[in-house]
Amino acid sequence: MKIYDRPGFPNAARIRIVLAEKGLDAAVEYVPVDLIAAEHKQEAFLKLNPSGVIPVLELDDGTFISEATAISEYIDNLDGNPTLTGASPKEKAIVHMMQRRAEAFVLDPVGIFFHHGTPGLGAALQAYKSPEWNGREEWALRNRATAMSGFAYFDEVLARSSFLAGDRFSIADITLYAGLLFGDVAGVQPANGLEHLAQWRGRVAELPSVKGRSGQNLLPEDLRRLGF
Ligand SMILES: N[C@@H](CCC(=O)N[C@@H](CS)C(=O)NCC(=O)O)C(=O)O
């Protein structure tokens, strides 16, 4: 299997955590995609994923699978013992629902704010993003507000259960965790006092599949090019 991604990007981190949870990191060859040079918007990459985003999984038979959730489901089911995407029909449905909420309430709006309300990944990629228009700033700020409400919503969920979909760590938690990492970079952070969310984040950060993984840090060369 090959994974096309870039270390340190939130959707790349989702897959890297799934692979670590399943003990499959060594089974994968990583192919770096230069997001800052907009490599993922060029024809060669668009043939792999017409959405023009990473991550993409390439199977040994040449099949390309994109969308972090689809890739996660594939990896989780490979050993016939899904632990991150639900085992029973009810668990699967609840994980799916909460995962989608984590995307829609936090990860996606943080991404919109990052790309449209900040300089994002720089000039080369900005050319592929939305043009300047009068409503752009308001749209970015609305998405930041959506993410802030999402943080509060998940704080309430986590007051009632250990993880987003119940007692078990799942891809829903991984998506929200990636959203929080992305939020740190984009300047969209939970309000003070969301204690359940903060405690959950601390617990997730300590998981062996998450803790100290270099794949969660942006490459130094990328940081330099972005002016950090
Ligand atoms: N819905 C996609 C989102 C993937 C995504 O947005 N990936 C980011 C990197 S974390 C990306 O490629 N961004 C580049 C861009 O937006 O041009 C998924 O679940 O895989």
Side-chain angles (χ1 to χ4, degrees):
M1 292 191 287
K2 287 184 189 165
I3 298 275
Y4 297 75
D5 80 351
R6 189 86 176 173
F9 284 87
N11 289 287
R14 288 167 72 181
I15 303 306
R16 287 167 182 250
I17 295 171
V18 169
L19 286 164
E21 281 283 326
K22 301 296 287 187
L24 285 173
D25 339 32
V28 164
E29 179 192 336
Y30 289 102
V31 182
V33 181
D34 191 347
L35 295 187
I36 294 168
E39 185 186 346
H40 56 302
K41 303 300 182 196
Q42 311 310 317
E43 210 182 320
F45 185 88
L46 294 174
K47 282 190 186 139
L48 318 187
N49 179 10
S51 300
V53 288
I54 57 124
V56 176
L57 167 68
E58 181 180 358
L59 304 184
D60 294 342
D61 70 1
T63 304
F64 290 99
I65 300 176
S66 55
E67 292 301 325
T69 310
I71 297 170
S72 301
E73 284 173 352
Y74 177 83
I75 294 166
D76 192 32
N77 282 287
L78 266 182
D79 62 0
N81 175 32
T83 51
L84 297 167
T85 54
S88 69
K90 181 178 167 186
E91 276 174 22
K92 281 184 191 299
I94 290 175
V95 169
H96 189 118
M97 175 178 78
M98 295 309 288
Q99 191 294 129
R100 183 61 197 130
R101 285 183 190 167
E103 279 180 349
F105 296 4
V106 172
L107 182 58
D108 292 350
V110 167
I112 290 172
F113 180 77
F114 175 70
H115 288 296
H116 303 281
T118 81
L121 291 178
L125 185 56
Q126 209 56 38
Y128 294 88
K129 295 296 176 184
S130 56
E132 298 297 332
W133 90 92
N134 286 341
R136 176 179 167 149
E137 193 183 342
E138 191 200 337
W139 186 58
L141 292 176
R142 272 189 197 208
N143 275 278
R144 186 169 68 182
T146 299
M148 298 299 282
S149 308
F151 293 143
Y153 164 74
F154 287 116
D155 185 66
E156 282 173 25
V157 170
L158 291 163
R160 300 189 298 269
S161 64
S162 318
F163 294 105
L164 293 196
D167 296 340
R168 198 167 190 181
F169 182 66
S170 75
I171 59 167
D173 299 285
I174 297 174
T175 302
L176 179 58
Y177 188 75
L180 285 161
L181 293 177
F182 200 4
D184 290 345
V185 175
V188 186
Q189 284 166 314
N192 288 335
L194 300 183
E195 291 303 327
H196 306 290
L197 182 66
Q199 283 163 16
W200 164 91
R201 182 175 182 170
R203 279 187 284 120
V204 172
E206 287 300 314
L207 293 174
S209 59
V210 175
K211 193 173 180 179
R213 293 201 161 252
S214 60
Q216 285 170 37
N217 298 324
L218 268 182
L219 292 174
E221 70 196 78
D222 287 346
L223 285 170
R224 252 194 323 275
R225 284 156 76 197
L226 288 169
F228 287 98

